[in-house]
Amino acid sequence: MEFNRVVGTRRSIRFFKSWRPVEREKLQVMFEAANRASRSMNADYFRAIVVNRDDLDAETRDALRNPTTTADLDLAPTYIFWYIDMNYVEGAQDRLKALVDQNALSAAHGWSRAYVDDFLWPQVLEPISKDMSAVLFMGAVETGIAICNALNAAVDQGLGTCMHAFTANETMKSLLGVPDTWFPVWLQLVGYPAEEPEAGGQRPRNPISTLFFEGHTSRPFEEDPEVTERLKREGMLQTPGPFPYRAQEVKMLSRMYGLPE
Ligand SMILES: Cc1cc2nc3c(=O)[nH]c(=O)nc-3n(C[C@H](O)[C@H](O)[C@H](O)COP(=O)(O)O)c2cc1C
């Protein structure tokens, strides 16, 4: 799929073909996409553990439920638990110097091995590594960027996916062998959509002019109608929901799975 269509087609899928497993190779593509995500210090901010739903017993699965993560856990065959590795700053000096060595970072922008060793590490990065709110803040941003790539790679391969809050309890932690330095963030559910991939139409979004500004907050970034039309043709902007038959779609899927209507 073309990039614009992937972005436009992605939406949160909550009805999965519960019987159809996700091919391992598709997971690999998602993980490579996540691993290509931009990241400051070229650090490995995230860790993720993929689990087959059917490898978890009913009690363990039930313990993951919370007010916003419910029947989804029964329908999605594949769970990806995302974490921040709170030790991600470790090795930043060496990683940055490796970037200097390959001229990804160059003297043109003030970089050198000495700049990393004598200034950046002691003055900026090491202090960050000791500031827990900075570690969490950066870890959440960078993990989110990686997750975004994984979401889009899933959609590109015809999969459905949705992010979820999950209850990170001690049983789960020990079952998955999660180290103490990993901070739980989100659960990504993956599978083949049982609903149409459009899931009833694109979700409501405010116009970009309410979110983006040019030079000053008093000047909204106004869209060019020709670009908007092109994005419609290329699939980034799609028919907004709800499709006229969406309520019926949800009703029939709920009935099929014995869920409340
Ligand atoms: C980080 C994150 C956490 C989310 N957590 C939940 C959740 O716990 N339960 C849920 O049903 N949807 C969850 N969602 C999905 C959002 O509700 C959904 O993205 C939003 O309604 C917009 O719809 P769209 O993803 O189809 O564009 C989450 C999404 C993100 C990005």
Side-chain angles (χ1 to χ4, degrees):
M1 230 191 277
E2 291 297 319
F3 177 78
N4 285 351
R5 191 165 298 279
V6 172
V7 172
T9 304
R10 188 218 56 77
R11 59 213 61 169
S12 290
I13 294 295
R14 297 187 177 83
F15 290 99
F16 296 93
K17 289 178 178 166
S18 57
W19 58 90
R20 183 170 174 186
V22 174
E23 297 84 346
R24 204 169 171 281
E25 70 174 83
K26 293 196 174 183
L27 295 170
Q28 183 174 342
V29 173
M30 289 170 60
F31 298 158
E32 289 290 0
N35 200 23
R36 291 292 108 203
S38 191
R39 70 276 299 280
S40 60
M41 296 182 270
N42 207 19
D44 290 331
Y45 286 83
F46 63 83
R47 295 290 187 276
I49 306 172
V50 61
V51 175
N52 290 321
R53 173 200 57 205
D54 295 342
D55 291 341
L56 299 178
D57 61 37
E59 198 185 332
T60 309
R61 200 194 302 173
D62 282 345
L64 291 169
R65 295 183 206 277
N66 64 40
T68 61
T69 306
T70 56
D72 324 76
L73 290 166
D74 306 318
L75 302 185
T78 302
Y79 301 0
I80 303 171
F81 294 91
W82 288 89
Y83 302 84
I84 303 167
D85 176 12
M86 302 291 276
N87 284 338
Y88 61 78
V89 182
E90 262 174 33
Q93 249 173 308
D94 288 340
R95 284 191 303 274
L96 287 169
K97 284 188 286 186
L99 292 177
V100 169
D101 290 345
Q102 74 169 75
N103 269 299
L105 298 171
S106 73
H109 304 97
W111 290 92
S112 67
R113 292 177 68 87
Y115 179 71
V116 173
D117 281 340
D118 302 340
F119 171 71
L120 211 58
W121 175 255
Q123 300 292 327
V124 181
L125 302 179
E126 201 181 18
I128 285 178
S129 73
K130 296 188 163 64
D131 176 348
M132 204 37 68
S133 61
V135 168
L136 258 182
F137 163 75
M138 289 174 66
V141 170
E142 318 277 20
T143 301
I145 294 173
I147 289 173
C148 185
N149 272 14
L151 287 170
N152 284 319
V155 173
D156 188 43
Q157 300 180 96
L159 297 167
T161 186
C162 183
M163 299 309 297
H164 281 269
F166 73 101
T167 309
N169 54 54
E170 282 303 317
T171 314
M172 208 58 209
K173 189 176 169 196
S174 107
L175 188 74
L176 302 180
V178 178
D180 288 337
T181 54
W182 292 14
F183 186 88
V185 273
W186 298 109
L187 168 61
Q188 180 176 9
L189 298 182
V190 191
Y192 282 88
E195 53 193 311
E196 290 183 334
E198 292 84 2
Q202 232 170 16
R203 312 313 193 201
R205 292 287 196 272
N206 290 314
I208 55 172
S209 58
T210 64
L211 307 169
F212 297 91
F213 306 90
E214 282 193 279
H216 190 272
T217 50
S218 63
R219 282 189 291 279
F221 186 100
E222 297 295 349
E223 61 188 63
D224 172 346
E226 277 184 30
V227 176
T228 305
E229 283 311 306
R230 176 165 65 80
L231 292 177
K232 285 181 182 169
R233 286 194 303 278
E234 293 175 355
M236 185 183 282
L237 302 178
Q238 301 184 11
T239 309
F243 289 174
Y245 53 84
R246 174 61 175 172
Q248 193 66 9
E249 183 185 26
V250 169
K251 189 174 171 181
M252 297 315 285
L253 286 163
S254 305
R255 199 167 292 178
M256 180 172 93
Y257 282 118
L259 296 168
E261 290 177 30

